[in-house]
Amino acid sequence: MASQRRVFQQFINLSKRRPRTKLALQLSASAAVASMPIMYWSHNARKERAEREHEVATRIRIPSVQTIDDLMVEKCQPGDVILFDRRSECCAAGFSAALGCLLGKTILCDEEDGTRSVERGSYEHCGVVVPGLSDAQGAQHDSSNLCLLEATSGNGIVCRPLLTRLEMSRSRSVMLLPLSCPGEHRQQDVITGLEDESELSEKTKFLKKTMNDELIKFRDKWLTDSQSQGYENQHSYLSIMGAFLYLTNLYPTFPIPVSPSAWLVVSALQECGAAMKLNEKQAQQTRVEDFTRDGRFFEKNSVRLRPGWKFLSPVAMRETSVS
């Protein structure tokens, strides 16, 4: 005990003789105190995410009984875009991920001005529906094989089963933007069920098959690139930098995407032939909010599709809160 007191006294005397040491200790103590709430929040967010994963993994599935999420997945097709109004406080990938989400909502999301196709929500994250990884016969026509391709902070660019992604989501709102190709009559079909393939013309069937094949190539390429380049360590910082560059109006100068998730989705739509590719920076300068405006009527702040392609009226897949 006496030796501990002597060490402590020597430490105090040293800090008095060296002002820089004292200042460093004070700054370290201040940083430690300030980081405690962040550490507590991060621990709770990770714990809640783990509990959610366990709940979804152990959920009892009753045959022939569909949940609302099952019914929603049946309305989806490859090429559809899903928008998320996420809760920044629920980001379990760390402080930088939560900060990127919060800045995206604050800087990149517009107030309701009557030009959006959705009534409410601050959508700062999105993903594109792609064919699943199963190669079984008939899997391409099975809605349970659909996946969502998206850019994330924790795992990089990932391709997860669409049903699992919806069940895991804790977003305030999840909105589906159905993509319709030329010759496809899908407006009523989104409400009642999938369109009968036999009613499609040969040209429309060819377009849909080509789109599916290109989405599969795009999915495999970006999953491979994400792993090889360690994208999971870059997403949060790209989101933060993109938001600040948009705020300062410097985003046209730097080759950094304003919204990494929107950049991935627009690139996928361009590769499959649905979206126009006006210039090299078009995908990089797109925000998630731009998907909520019809490119046929708005040249700016919208996603421009090729002639004959269009997004149908948004379908609310989940609205757990409006606050």
Side-chain angles (χ1 to χ4, degrees):
M1 191 69 177
S3 60
Q4 293 179 354
R5 289 179 179 175
R6 286 196 300 270
V7 172
F8 181 74
Q9 188 62 40
Q10 292 176 357
F11 186 75
I12 296 296
N13 294 335
L14 179 63
S15 63
K16 289 181 179 180
R17 292 195 303 267
R18 298 184 179 179
R20 292 184 180 179
T21 304
K22 182 178 180 180
L23 179 60
L25 292 174
Q26 291 175 343
L27 293 176
S28 300
S30 300
V33 172
S35 64
M36 290 180 64
I38 298 177
M39 295 174 61
Y40 177 77
W41 158 81
S42 179
H43 173 75
N44 281 345
R46 294 175 186 272
K47 181 180 178 182
E48 291 176 1
R49 172 61 62 86
E51 292 175 351
R52 186 81 169 186
E53 289 179 349
H54 178 74
E55 176 191 351
V56 171
T58 58
R59 183 171 296 173
I60 299 176
R61 312 283 180 176
I62 303 176
S64 302
V65 176
Q66 292 182 306
T67 64
I68 295 179
D69 289 332
D70 291 323
L71 296 174
M72 288 297 177
V73 169
E74 286 188 351
K75 302 180 187 297
C76 299
Q77 294 183 15
D80 291 349
V81 176
I82 298 182
L83 311 180
F84 295 88
D85 178 8
R86 298 187 300 174
R87 304 174 189 266
S88 56
E89 67 273 13
C90 295
C91 292
F95 175 73
S96 59
L99 180 60
C101 176
L102 183 61
L103 291 176
K105 286 182 173 295
T106 305
I107 299 174
L108 302 181
C109 295
D110 298 327
E111 296 182 359
E112 177 56 42
D113 56 1
T115 64
R116 303 196 315 169
S117 58
V118 294
E119 295 182 358
R120 62 172 66 93
S122 298
Y123 299 95
E124 45 70 46
H125 181 72
C126 62
V128 60
V129 179
V130 296
L133 301 174
S134 175
D135 296 329
Q137 185 176 4
Q140 59 179 343
H141 301 292
D142 186 0
S143 59
S144 63
N145 188 45
L146 293 177
C147 291
L148 188 70
L149 185 70
E150 57 185 332
T152 66
S153 296
N155 302 298
I157 296 175
V158 295
C159 181
R160 292 178 283 195
L162 182 55
L163 178 59
T164 302
R165 180 64 178 88
L166 289 178
E167 292 177 337
M168 284 292 300
S169 176
R170 300 184 62 193
S171 301
R172 290 185 177 88
S173 299
V174 181
M175 199 68 62
L176 168 67
L177 296 181
L179 179 66
S180 178
C181 69
E184 184 180 17
H185 305 286
R186 197 182 164 199
Q187 180 67 57
Q188 182 65 23
D189 184 61
V190 172
I191 302 176
T192 59
L194 294 177
E195 185 176 11
D196 188 356
E197 289 284 342
S198 61
E199 299 179 0
L200 301 177
S201 65
E202 292 299 323
K203 182 178 180 181
T204 303
K205 290 180 181 179
F206 175 77
L207 285 175
K208 291 179 70 67
K209 183 180 184 303
T210 302
M211 179 181 67
N212 287 357
D213 293 342
E214 292 300 323
L215 286 175
I216 291 175
K217 295 178 183 178
F218 183 87
R219 176 201 68 194
D220 295 341
K221 174 182 180 299
W222 281 92
L223 289 177
T224 302
D225 290 347
S226 174
Q227 294 180 356
S228 62
Q229 298 179 14
Y231 180 78
E232 66 276 7
N233 300 320
Q234 306 172 26
H235 179 81
S236 297
Y237 301 105
L238 286 175
S239 300
I240 295 172
M241 293 174 63
F244 277 118
L245 288 176
Y246 185 84
L247 178 65
T248 56
N249 205 32
L250 294 175
Y251 62 94
T253 308
F254 296 88
I256 296 177
V258 171
S259 170
S261 62
W263 166 59
L264 178 70
V265 173
V266 173
S267 298
L269 295 179
Q270 290 176 341
E271 286 295 323
C272 72
M276 298 176 66
K277 192 172 184 180
L278 302 177
N279 54 65
E280 294 296 332
K281 292 187 176 182
Q282 180 186 6
Q284 294 180 357
Q285 298 176 2
T286 301
R287 303 171 302 161
V288 178
E289 282 275 312
D290 296 343
F291 284 99
T292 65
R293 294 179 179 85
D294 195 330
R296 296 172 296 176
F297 308 110
F298 300 95
E299 293 186 3
K300 295 183 178 180
N301 298 328
S302 65
V303 176
R304 305 285 299 279
L305 301 180
R306 300 182 68 180
W309 295 82
K310 60 182 178 180
F311 286 121
L312 304 181
S313 300
V315 178
M317 305 186 77
R318 178 172 299 171
E319 286 186 312
T320 57
S321 174
V322 297
S323 60

